Amino acid sequence: MSLQAYADARDQAVIEIMQTDPRVLLIGQPLLSLERRTNRIVETFSRDRIWSNVPIAETGMVGAAIGAALVGLRPIVSLGTGSFAFNAWPQLVNELPQFSYMTGGQVSVPLVLHLNGGARGAGAPQHSHSPEAMLMNTPGLKIIMPSTARDVAGLLRTAVADDNPVVFIDHVLLHEIPGPVPDEPESIPLGSADVKREGRDVTIVTAGFMVHRVLLAAAQLEGIGISVEVVDLRSLTPLDIDSVLDSLARTRRLVTVDETQLTCGLGAEICTQVAERGFDLLAAAPVRVGVPNTPIPFSPPLEDAVVPQVDSIVAACRRVVEQPARLRH
Amino acid sequence: MPELQAVDTQPLTPERHRELFRRMLLIRRVEERIAERGIAGDFPGHYHVYIGQEATGVAITALMESGDTLVTTHRNHGHVLAKGGEPGRAFAEILGRDAGYCHGKAGSIHVSAVELGVISASGIVAGSIPTATGAALAYKYGNSFPDLKVHFPSARRPRPAGDAPALQGRLAVAFFGDGALNEGAWHESAVIATWWKLPIIYVCENNDSVPYDPRKAKMSGTTLATHAAAYGMMADSVDGTDLEAVWTQFQVAAAHARAGGGPFFLESRTVAWPGNRTTFPSLPLGLTDLQHAWEPPAEREFATWYAHDPVLKQARRLVDAEWLTREEVDAIDIDCRAIAAEADRWAHEQPYPPDERAFEHVFSVPILEDRPEGPSQ
């Protein structure tokens, strides 16, 4: 094990993947970070492999990655900011996910689309989107949302090896967070949630950067006698609802935390699936912590008011735990 | 603007002329069958046919090399058949049958046949242009990695047999209509393809009938070729009703793109086919009567069509050159009609897909979420 920053582990994984497989090329902004990090990917490869001098043309860029994948390459295409996914929307939701299905399986499209999603701080309404809920609503796309250095390396290896399109929801606030990474390259299967903290009283289901805020909230709650289990989904499609139900069988109380809007958001989907498949497990009504149905405002206090914070997560857990247990029939 | 190199174009031999005429006529007869079935309400949904554009698709696909890829549009039937597609499987797809190229999940608007190099059929105007541009990007990538040999990734198992081809030296061909030039996807792809000098031919089939818009493509003060040339790509226009003209001009375009000169925009101008006026084409002139090649009907309303119908034009040329007699033209026609009728009959005998098909190929390997479960089932 070694300790690495999230972005370093991510870039190292990409370098190893590209060194092993000549079919992998990088199109677009090479996994850009907001900070002035040295980009080791760009330093390692020639311009044959890194097609970063691309015109600002997201529809064209994603379409080009699709075409390259269709004839046998395995591109990683990076649009930088998650909100820019909307500039590629026609290709991203009405071409890419349909190929395998609409051709009756004649082709599949093995590409990875990298987006820095979420509120990164002062992104204002047009650079702060969390498009993962809309993309979950699009059959044919897989979605990974790793939260740690170990997970990002392991999930990226699986994503590039996958024959299907995989959207990689990154977050610039993750990039400097250090974590242990195994010395031997590791592949983590998609659809396997990970319990990041064990607990007895309430299960928080989350993913991506929010995992870290949830862990801070869990530490605070421990101080007031509430034991929190943290389930990190790691991938949203496929969605490991079984692990969520396993955890709820122990805690019987559910809070979801994510940066999508409450309406039809990630939390809404988790609560729905739990209600359908695990209604009798619940001792109390679940609570969603997400972005209220507003855009993300620029002003720092306003941004904090709508994006889940440690305080709002703590408050949600208290509400769920303080509800009297619903009787089982 | 890049320089165009002189190209030694290969002329069409009489034998090739005859062969390609037969292919054009087969497309015409199959499309007429499809239109007849569509008019009768025999299959659901809207549909488009390739009538009037046969010379373009047939000449270009005949010049494409193995390993080149083609992306097509809502008007895909002609391209699939020109590439050697089986009329029965195409017809079955249009009817939504399991034996269709895409197991009935694509329908008329989206027939693709990867085994023929037709890797995409987007029903969205300009939707296929970025995809084709990406295939060209892969071929350019192949120049740097000549040893790299890749298969089409396929969700069907087993994968297609045969050795994987190299990427180097291949060509992408994008077909689209004149209306596509109004879409942002065209603009973005044109910028990318010229910037990276990608080996792609943009074949703009200007069939004089933009859907919903009687004023045609809404571009002011420019022809389509000058519009494309503004991106810094080679651009030319050709009479798309003339097999030989397309045959010659496409060789110039392909040589340019294969030699690393970057994209080539080829506008293929055809005349409006009178049946093409809506998303539900009709057969206002009935089935094509080959006698009209020599004795067009007297009424003036459709005179332009009869003068420029590419199938009639090619029949006239072959008989004038004495490469075929009129009796031989009729014999070819009887053959093509029989193939179209058999495709129609065979496709109708094929079963619809089983319900399970709806849940297949969302991903290359199914995941649990592909199927409904829980109490709502």
Side-chain angles (χ1 to χ4, degrees):
Chain A
M1 285 281 177
S2 65
L3 202 64
Q4 290 180 31
Y6 181 97
D8 289 332
R10 179 197 68 181
D11 293 356
Q12 183 58 35
V14 170
I15 288 168
E16 285 168 19
I17 290 163
M18 289 179 67
Q19 281 169 339
T20 340
D21 190 344
R23 297 172 301 172
V24 181
L25 71 162
L26 220 154
I27 301 171
Q29 309 192 22
L31 310 190
L32 201 69
S33 295
L34 213 56
E35 292 79 12
R36 289 180 178 278
R37 301 181 59 88
T38 309
N39 196 317
R40 289 186 43 234
I41 304 174
V42 175
E43 288 178 347
T44 307
F45 296 99
S46 65
R47 278 175 66 167
D48 295 340
R49 302 292 295 281
I50 313 265
W51 296 58
S52 60
N53 62 338
V54 62
I56 305 169
E58 286 82 1
T59 289
M61 223 186 294
V62 171
I66 295 171
L70 276 175
V71 299
L73 298 182
R74 303 183 91 85
I76 301 172
V77 57
S78 178
L79 299 185
T81 300
S83 299
F84 301 166
F86 304 125
N87 294 49
W89 215 244
Q91 291 288 310
L92 180 52
V93 306
N94 205 11
E95 301 286 338
L96 174 59
Q98 326 281 14
F99 271 102
S100 173
Y101 193 79
M102 206 161 74
T103 63
Q106 293 178 77
V107 291
S108 58
V109 192
L111 69 79
V112 172
L113 174 69
H114 171 258
L115 300 169
N116 282 313
R120 64 195 188 192
Q126 290 193 312
H127 292 73
S128 302
H129 285 96
S130 298
E132 56 268 26
M134 297 183 206
L135 297 173
M136 280 179 83
N137 219 319
T138 304
L141 297 176
K142 295 188 179 182
I143 304 168
I144 59 170
M145 209 163 159
S147 66
T148 65
R150 176 179 194 158
D151 288 352
V152 71
L155 287 168
L156 257 180
R157 284 196 189 87
T158 316
V160 175
D162 201 298
D163 278 341
N164 302 285
V166 181
V167 180
F168 164 24
I169 305 280
D170 196 346
H171 199 302
V172 292
L173 297 182
L174 281 169
H175 292 172
E176 302 305 325
I177 299 178
V181 179
D183 298 327
E184 286 300 308
E186 171 188 49
S187 292
I188 298 174
L190 307 193
S192 65
D194 185 41
V195 175
K196 288 288 192 285
R197 178 189 170 110
E198 293 186 351
R200 297 178 312 276
D201 300 329
V202 57
T203 296
I204 303 183
V205 178
T206 186
F209 171 63
M210 279 296 140
V211 168
H212 299 275
R213 262 188 202 160
V214 164
L215 288 171
L216 289 175
Q220 271 194 26
L221 287 159
E222 192 75 56
I224 55 169
I226 296 174
S227 165
V228 177
E229 180 142 303
V230 179
V231 177
D232 177 0
L233 292 168
R234 299 203 290 194
S235 72
L236 308 187
T237 306
L239 184 67
D240 182 7
I241 205 70
D242 288 341
S243 290
V244 174
L245 295 170
D246 280 352
S247 175
L248 287 172
R250 292 187 292 277
T251 66
R252 303 191 60 212
R253 291 167 198 265
L254 171 66
V255 170
T256 65
V257 179
D258 68 272
E259 284 193 73
T260 65
Q261 263 69 18
L262 289 174
T263 300
C264 298
L266 175 56
E269 180 60 25
I270 302 292
C271 290
T272 303
Q273 291 203 27
V274 167
E276 282 185 340
R277 293 185 51 196
F279 191 67
D280 287 336
L281 296 175
L282 294 177
V287 171
R288 292 173 292 160
V289 184
V291 175
N293 296 322
T294 67
I296 307 291
F298 168 75
S299 180
L302 296 184
E303 184 185 293
D304 288 353
V306 299
V307 175
Q309 304 293 326
V310 172
D311 287 353
S312 53
I313 299 165
V314 167
C317 289
R318 294 184 64 151
R319 268 173 62 201
V320 166
V321 171
E322 284 161 10
Q323 285 177 52
R326 190 176 62 91
L327 291 177
R328 286 179 191 253
H329 296 289
Chain B
M1 174 61 62
E3 293 278 313
L4 196 57
Q5 305 299 317
V7 177
D8 280 334
T9 55
Q10 299 301 311
L12 266 176
T13 61
E15 191 189 356
R16 205 84 164 113
H17 256 298
R18 286 191 289 265
E19 179 198 332
L20 298 186
F21 168 65
R22 184 192 165 87
R23 212 173 286 181
M24 289 168 63
L25 188 52
L26 177 64
I27 293 172
R28 175 66 55 91
R29 292 309 184 196
V30 172
E31 290 286 50
E32 286 176 344
R33 277 266 168 182
I34 291 164
E36 283 184 310
R37 293 303 193 173
I39 291 161
D42 192 36
F43 58 87
H46 69 287
Y47 58 99
H48 301 273
V49 292
Y50 198 59
I51 294 176
Q53 300 168 227
E54 295 92 343
T56 305
V58 165
I60 289 175
T61 54
L63 285 161
M64 289 175 66
E65 295 175 8
S66 129
D68 294 347
T69 48
L70 186 163
V71 299
T72 174
T73 64
H74 53 286
R75 231 175 270 285
N76 54 65
H77 314 159
H79 299 140
V80 169
L81 295 177
K83 264 290 207 175
E86 290 174 37
R89 288 178 72 193
F91 218 123
E93 186 58 46
I94 291 158
L95 298 178
R97 307 303 169 97
D98 200 27
Y101 274 105
C102 311
H103 288 304
K105 294 201 282 192
S108 166
I109 312 297
H110 307 107
V111 185
S112 61
V114 175
E115 68 207 52
L116 307 171
V118 183
I119 60 168
S120 159
S122 176
I124 300 299
V125 172
S128 285
I129 298 176
T131 308
T133 307
L137 184 150
Y139 301 152
K140 172 114 181 181
Y141 183 84
N143 289 342
S144 305
F145 304 95
D147 296 334
L148 182 60
K149 295 185 164 59
V150 294
H151 275 298
F152 285 121
S154 168
R156 283 187 193 160
R157 300 289 188 272
R159 287 173 186 276
D163 289 339
L167 289 166
Q168 195 180 23
R170 289 157 70 178
L171 189 67
V173 180
F175 283 93
F176 50 90
D178 41 319
L181 297 190
N182 297 335
E183 289 280 356
W186 152 251
H187 168 77
E188 295 197 12
S189 299
V191 168
I192 286 175
T194 44
W195 176 243
W196 280 334
K197 288 192 151 191
L198 302 182
I200 182 165
I201 316 292
Y202 293 115
V203 181
C204 178
E205 296 194 77
N206 183 354
N207 64 1
D208 205 24
S209 84
V210 174
Y212 321 120
D213 184 1
R215 287 165 298 163
K216 313 294 175 338
K218 289 175 173 167
M219 259 179 289
S220 313
T222 179
T223 67
L224 302 188
T226 55
H227 168 90
Y231 291 97
M233 69 176 79
M234 286 302 307
D236 208 346
S237 239
V238 67
D239 178 356
T241 67
D242 182 337
L243 181 79
E244 196 158 32
V246 180
W247 172 268
T248 304
Q249 192 55 35
F250 186 79
Q251 291 180 65
V252 174
H256 170 83
R258 281 192 210 279
F264 196 113
F265 178 92
L266 186 59
E267 178 199 8
S268 165
R269 283 174 285 101
T270 53
V271 296
W273 169 56
N276 222 1
R277 286 178 182 147
T278 68
T279 39
F280 292 92
S282 56
L283 293 167
L285 309 183
L287 304 183
T288 304
D289 181 350
L290 290 177
Q291 297 311 313
H292 289 162
W294 300 277
E295 296 131 25
E299 69 260 44
R300 295 192 53 78
E301 191 189 352
F302 301 119
T304 311
W305 168 249
Y306 285 116
H308 295 285
D309 173 343
V311 171
L312 298 185
K313 196 181 255 191
Q314 182 65 4
R316 268 196 301 274
R317 171 182 278 148
L318 289 171
V319 171
D320 286 352
E322 297 184 356
W323 291 336
L324 280 181
T325 63
R326 281 171 69 161
E327 291 69 31
E328 285 168 325
V329 167
D330 287 340
I332 292 172
D333 190 28
I334 288 167
D335 230 20
C336 290
R337 284 174 189 251
I339 293 170
E342 173 58 17
D344 185 353
R345 187 200 64 76
W346 182 83
H348 276 84
E349 277 183 356
Q350 302 309 305
Y352 283 105
D355 286 356
E356 297 93 88
R357 283 274 185 271
F359 303 102
E360 286 178 355
H361 303 129
V362 178
F363 295 106
S364 63
V365 176
I367 61 176
L368 197 62
E369 291 159 44
D370 293 355
R371 285 164 189 278
E373 56 176 322
S376 58
Q377 196 167 16

